[in-house]
Each structure stands twice: as structure tokens, then as C-alpha cells.
Amino acid sequence: MNKLKERWNVNSNWQLVIIFIVFAITGSTAAYLSKPVTSALGITKENLSLWLYWPFRLLIIFPVYQVMLVIIGAIFGQFAFFWEFEKKMLDRMKLGFIGKYVDSKIKK
């Protein structure tokens, strides 16, 4: 746990517990919402092969998960942690310009 706290720059075990809770809630909510979202977009197992259905479902729910992670993290008082986490992920996906743009809007 200490290595994780150091890696994530977390000060207390309580903060680490809250972060784990946010990840759990966000993951469960994203999984729950993925079927209605894909159904609303007309992407179902019945009209697509499973080889296309699952990748589409994952591609659609991934951005929803990322936004929900920051929002739920903010609700639990961990906005700073999850926003930094999100910016690192965007940088790794070569989309760091999104994080910089949002940061410029937040700081105004």
C-alpha cells in the first residue's frame, strides 16, 4: 500500500480507500450504463456480430467512463487526484491537448 500511496502521491490510507471506492463505483456504473447507451445508438448483439459488438461497446463506453471518473471523484472530494490521473491517461493516448485545454478553462 505504501508503494501505491507514494506512486499516486496520496497522503493517507483513508484517501486511498476513497480512491478505490470511486474506481469501483465508476466501473460498476459504466458497466451498467453501457448496454442502454449502445442500445440507444442501435448497437445490439442481434444486429452486429459479437466481433464488432464488443469493440464498439467498449469504444463507446470508454469516454463515458473517463468523464464519470472525474465527476464521481469530485463528488467524493478527490477532483485533483482524478483530474491529474485523467491528464496522464490523455497524455499516454496522445490526447494531452484536451487536458491542457480544459486546464486553461478551469484556471480562468
Side-chain angles (χ1 to χ4, degrees):
M1 295 295 260
N2 288 334
K3 286 184 181 181
L4 193 56
K5 285 175 26 180
E6 184 178 318
R7 180 178 178 193
W8 283 352
N9 197 22
V10 173
N11 301 324
S12 68
N13 289 337
W14 179 243
Q15 186 180 6
L16 197 58
V17 168
I18 291 172
I19 290 168
F20 288 148
I21 289 169
V22 170
F23 277 122
I25 290 171
T26 306
S28 299
T29 305
Y32 180 77
L33 292 176
S34 65
K35 188 170 185 176
V37 169
T38 53
S39 293
L41 295 172
I43 300 171
T44 64
K45 291 179 186 177
E46 290 76 32
N47 63 8
L48 281 177
S49 78
L50 292 178
W51 292 101
L52 292 174
Y53 172 76
W54 286 107
F56 275 128
R57 187 169 170 175
L58 291 172
L59 285 172
I60 289 169
I61 205 62
F62 184 73
V64 173
Y65 173 81
Q66 300 306 317
V67 172
M68 287 175 39
L69 189 61
V70 174
I71 292 169
I72 294 173
I75 291 169
F76 278 82
Q78 296 298 315
F79 175 80
F81 172 82
F82 284 102
W83 179 237
E84 289 302 317
F85 187 87
E86 190 62 36
K87 287 192 301 187
K88 285 179 189 175
M89 184 171 294
L90 288 169
D91 282 340
R92 288 183 193 127
M93 296 183 333
K94 307 297 183 208
L95 298 171
F97 64 93
I98 296 171
K100 290 175 185 168
Y101 175 78
V102 173
D103 261 348
S104 72
K105 296 298 179 184
I106 290 173
K107 291 179 182 175
K108 283 186 177 181

